[in-house]
Amino acid sequence: MPNGNGHARPLLPQRQIRYLTPQELTRLRQHAEARALQAREKRTVGPVRAWALLDTLLSSGLRASEAAALRVGDCLLGYGQASLVVRQGKGSKSREVFIPDALKRHLKGFLAWKEARGEDVSDEAQLFTGKRGPLTRHGVWRAIKGLLAAVGLDPRYAVHSLRHTYATALYRASGRDLEIIQEQLGHASIKTTTIYARVTKEDKLRAANALAKAYQDAQRKGQSGAKWPKRAPASAGAVSAIVANP
């Protein structure tokens, strides 16, 4: 498109997002859960809290500041409920984020563990705490960076990479439904959410292999001009299985 001087405007580079591969996600989750189980046996607290925090981030897509601000009463875990209430997200907006059953069970167990330790689990009590009190945004960052480093993942990954990982998995599981992603992530504009609609590297490889197979099948049948294989969209409910077991 020309600018005011009649010259074409240079194309802006597309924003790149970093998200974990299914293999990296599995390594990270298995490591964090194993450390938490060992910590329970040794009666230490850090790894138990870190695993609950990691699972929450990966299964809800919350921002670091939103996770740090969670209170016990924000966890709606009763019969027929499975969600987290973000009181003040970006732009001071509140929203309800639906979570998979696996995270619901984890958080109920986490709260029972906190109560057994004598910690405050009243509605206004902070969900995630550290050695010096309520966990801060920086505390979330430090805990997640420690887990990422422990399994040797790319040092460029950060807490926000977990949000991108969640959103990418949810986008695929929902049948490419951007409105679901927008509501879960709390984006004010759908334009922000379209970053997840770009074709990922895994999608490219999957599509290239599918096309090659289609051509091979057509050749065996003596046909030509094989059609691009169709892909049935996954149901929105499949996200819990993808996030928990990539």
Side-chain angles (χ1 to χ4, degrees):
M1 181 182 294
N3 56 24
N5 298 323
H7 299 294
R9 290 175 179 161
L11 294 176
L12 294 176
Q14 289 187 336
R15 177 186 168 198
Q16 297 296 315
I17 61 173
R18 291 191 177 92
Y19 58 92
L20 280 67
T21 66
Q23 294 77 16
E24 291 173 331
L25 184 56
T26 298
R27 283 167 53 198
L28 180 62
R29 291 180 66 88
Q30 288 180 344
H31 168 77
E33 184 174 15
R35 285 184 71 243
L37 291 174
Q38 293 174 357
R40 280 177 177 264
E41 294 176 357
K42 297 178 181 179
R43 298 184 181 277
T44 54
V45 301
V48 179
R49 290 172 175 161
W51 167 227
L53 174 64
L54 176 71
D55 196 16
T56 298
L57 292 169
L58 283 172
S59 301
S60 68
L62 296 187
R63 300 176 177 93
S65 58
E66 294 171 345
L70 281 176
R71 299 183 184 276
V72 173
D74 297 332
C75 303
L76 305 184
L77 310 174
Y79 180 78
Q81 296 177 308
S83 62
L84 301 174
V85 175
V86 176
R87 302 192 188 193
Q88 284 194 323
K90 195 171 183 180
S92 298
K93 293 182 179 180
S94 62
R95 72 183 189 280
E96 183 178 6
V97 178
F98 295 93
I99 61 174
D101 289 339
L103 177 58
K104 175 181 176 177
R105 292 191 297 270
H106 188 173
L107 289 177
K108 289 180 74 171
F110 179 63
L111 288 172
W113 173 81
K114 284 170 65 73
E115 186 174 22
R117 281 179 41 79
E119 296 185 25
D120 186 3
V121 291
S122 61
D123 284 350
E124 290 301 312
Q126 210 76 19
L127 178 63
F128 296 116
T129 57
K131 294 180 180 179
R132 302 178 181 177
L135 199 63
T136 63
R137 180 176 178 274
H138 182 69
V140 172
W141 181 89
R142 187 168 57 244
I144 297 304
K145 288 294 285 186
L147 289 173
L148 291 168
V151 291
L153 295 184
D154 191 329
R156 292 175 296 178
Y157 284 145
V159 177
H160 216 65
S161 302
L162 305 187
R163 181 171 163 87
H164 290 321
T165 302
Y166 167 83
T168 302
L170 184 58
Y171 176 66
R172 291 169 175 164
S174 66
R176 275 59 178 173
D177 191 327
L178 285 175
E179 289 188 5
I180 291 179
I181 316 302
Q182 180 188 10
E183 292 179 6
Q184 287 286 94
L185 295 185
H187 288 162
S189 171
I190 194 72
K191 291 182 180 179
T192 307
T193 317
T194 56
I195 189 171
Y196 300 107
R198 295 174 186 161
V199 180
T200 64
K201 180 176 68 174
E202 289 80 8
D203 289 332
K204 292 177 184 178
L205 291 172
R206 189 181 299 110
N209 289 326
L211 179 60
K213 184 178 184 302
Y215 281 152
Q216 291 172 359
D217 292 343
Q219 189 174 22
R220 282 195 295 267
K221 296 177 182 178
Q223 299 174 350
S224 62
K227 295 181 179 180
W228 187 267
K230 295 181 180 180
R231 175 175 50 194
S235 64
V239 66
S240 60
I242 290 181
V243 172
N245 299 294

